[in-house]
């Protein structure tokens, strides 16, 4: 049997992450299991497209709608491999990343594999920030499985799909995928759910050994950013629920609220004697984050009905 081929797709949109993008590409070139192809998609930014023309990769413009979904679709359709792996432009992959992502695809039922994203803070992480909310900064949160496990969806900054599955599903929906004026995400969640709804036998896995380091700029260490992202997540989940149904759109979230958050509250409460200020603020962030996210869901759902 021929070895599965893999294209790595990296989408970028801003000159502010020009050097991050170069580091991301370099981390792919340093893989133990080499990529068969690296495709860099520049999302409607001619200056950036010119600036990175010298990269050791296929550098192409996004020919679809502006936004991450359009860029990912452009890269997917341009790729030539059996599997397409997506890496964020501000993330760097561990040397064994691609080998771990590729391995589960020996099972023909596996259509997607997600990895683990560790935060790489530019500044000291705030003491109030709960690891259970690491999804706010685009990273894997405490409470996720730590061994190879079947999951509902993969994480956007570190994931791989069978290219045929993405094409058969007509790609990532372009009504999701963040742009400067549209904070809606969860496009990978919606795609995973849609694939599984079309083929209940399709398997989607989390492989925690496939790790990347995801940069967290100083601005994301502020409460304002935390609150904005929680609200945007609620908006996004409401949009996904409208598209694929609330049962599937909220299945993992219900487990998160029932299982992960109560443990986080207990852990923070137990820490009060040793770190009273940070522990109390962490409990406030846990409760506030949940309330803001739920409020964002209700807000968007009501707007869609009006």
């Amino acid at each position: 049997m021929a070895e599965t081929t893999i294209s790595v797709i990296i989408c970028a949109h801003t000159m502010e992450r020009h050097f991050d993008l170069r580091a991301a590409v370099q981390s792919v070139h340093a893989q133990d299991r080499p990529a068969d192809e690296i495709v860099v998609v520049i999302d409607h930014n001619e200056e950036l497209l010119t600036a990175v023309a010298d990269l050791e990769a296929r550098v192409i413009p996004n020919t679809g709608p502006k936004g991450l979904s359009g860029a990912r679709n452009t890269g997917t359709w341009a790729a030539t491999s059996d599997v397409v792996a997506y890496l964020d432009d501000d993330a760097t992959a561990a040397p064994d990343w691609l080998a771990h992502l590729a391995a589960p695809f020996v099972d023909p039922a596996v259509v997607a594999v997600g990895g683990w994203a560790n935060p790489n803070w530019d500044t000291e992480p705030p003491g109030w920030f709960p690891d259970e909310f690491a999804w706010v900064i685009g990273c894997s949160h405490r409470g996720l499985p730590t061994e190879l496990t079947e999951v509902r969806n993969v994480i956007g900054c570190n994931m791989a799909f069978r290219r045929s599955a993405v094409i058969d599903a007509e790609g990532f929906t372009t009504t999701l995928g963040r742009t400067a004026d549209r904070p809606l995400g969860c496009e990978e969640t919606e795609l995973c759910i849609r694939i599984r709804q079309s083929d209940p036998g399709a398997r989607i896995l989390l492989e925690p050994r496939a790790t990347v380091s995801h940069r967290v700029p100083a601005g994301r260490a502020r409460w304002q950013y935390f609150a904005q992202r929680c609200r945007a997540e609620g908006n996004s989940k409401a949009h996904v629920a409208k598209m694929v149904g609330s049962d599937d759109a909220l299945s993992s979230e219900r487990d998160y609220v029932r299982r992960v958050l109560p443990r986080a509250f207990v852990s923070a409460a137990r820490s009060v004697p040793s770190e009273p200020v940070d522990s109390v603020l962490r409990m406030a962030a846990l409760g506030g984050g949940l309330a803001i996210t739920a409020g964002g869901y209700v807000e968007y759902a009501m707007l869609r009905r009006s």
Side-chain angles (χ1 to χ4, degrees), residues 121 123-129 221:
W121 296 86
T123 57
E124 188 70 21
W128 58 263
F129 187 89

Side-chain angles (χ1 to χ4, degrees), residues 112-237:
V113 179
W116 193 272
N118 293 308
N120 178 21
W121 296 86
D122 281 358
T123 57
E124 188 70 21
W128 58 263
F129 187 89
D131 289 340
E132 291 78 9
F133 273 76
W135 51 264
V136 165
I137 52 173
C139 294
S140 301
H141 64 80
R142 181 183 291 157
L144 285 172
T146 55
E147 297 180 346
L148 183 65
T149 307
E150 197 153 345
V151 293
R152 182 194 64 183
N153 63 275
V154 293
I155 186 171
C157 73
N158 175 7
M159 59 184 182
F161 286 81
R162 287 196 192 277
R163 181 170 175 268
S164 58
V166 181
I167 291 174
D168 289 346
E170 299 182 351
F172 296 88
T173 180
T174 54
T175 60
L176 294 169
R178 290 185 183 86
T179 64
D181 55 358
R182 185 187 65 201
L184 297 178
C186 298
E187 64 279 1
E188 65 280 349
T189 299
E190 190 275 340
L191 177 61
C192 287
I193 292 172
R194 195 153 35 91
I195 290 173
R196 285 290 304 276
Q197 288 179 341
S198 175
D199 178 9
R203 301 185 68 208
I204 297 169
L205 303 177
L206 169 64
E207 173 49 277
R209 293 177 297 174
T211 62
V212 304
S213 177
H214 200 182
R215 184 184 171 211
V216 185
R220 298 185 184 183
R222 302 195 311 265
W223 166 257
Q224 292 89 335
Y225 180 83
F226 181 86
Q228 289 168 3
R229 282 289 296 112
C230 287
R231 181 187 178 205
E233 184 73 8
N235 290 170
S236 302
K237 284 298 191 306

Side-chain angles (χ1 to χ4, degrees), residues 9 23 35 39 48 64 83 88 148 153 165 172-173 222 229 234 246 272:
I9 298 172
V39 181
L48 181 59
V83 170
D88 271 12
L148 183 65
N153 63 275
F172 296 88
T173 180
R222 302 195 311 265
R229 282 289 296 112
S246 60
V272 169

Side-chain angles (χ1 to χ4, degrees), residues 7-25 28 37-45 48-49 52 55 57-79 84-92 97 156-159 161 166 172 174 176-179 187-188 214 220:
S7 297
V8 175
I9 298 172
I10 305 174
C11 302
H13 71 285
T14 174
M15 283 295 295
E16 292 178 5
R17 299 213 291 247
H18 173 199
F19 293 107
D20 291 330
L21 172 59
R22 290 185 177 277
V25 171
V28 178
E37 175 183 42
I38 303 173
V39 181
V40 173
V41 184
I42 304 302
D43 187 17
H44 298 277
N45 186 326
L48 181 59
L49 185 64
V52 298
L55 283 174
R58 285 178 63 195
V59 180
I60 61 175
N62 176 12
T63 56
K66 186 175 183 179
L68 185 53
S69 288
R72 283 175 173 163
N73 288 341
T74 293
T76 303
W77 262 254
V84 282
Y86 304 89
L87 178 69
D88 271 12
D89 62 336
D90 56 352
T92 53
W97 169 68
C157 73
N158 175 7
M159 59 184 182
F161 286 81
V166 181
F172 296 88
T174 54
L176 294 169
R178 290 185 183 86
T179 64
E187 64 279 1
E188 65 280 349
H214 200 182
R220 298 185 184 183

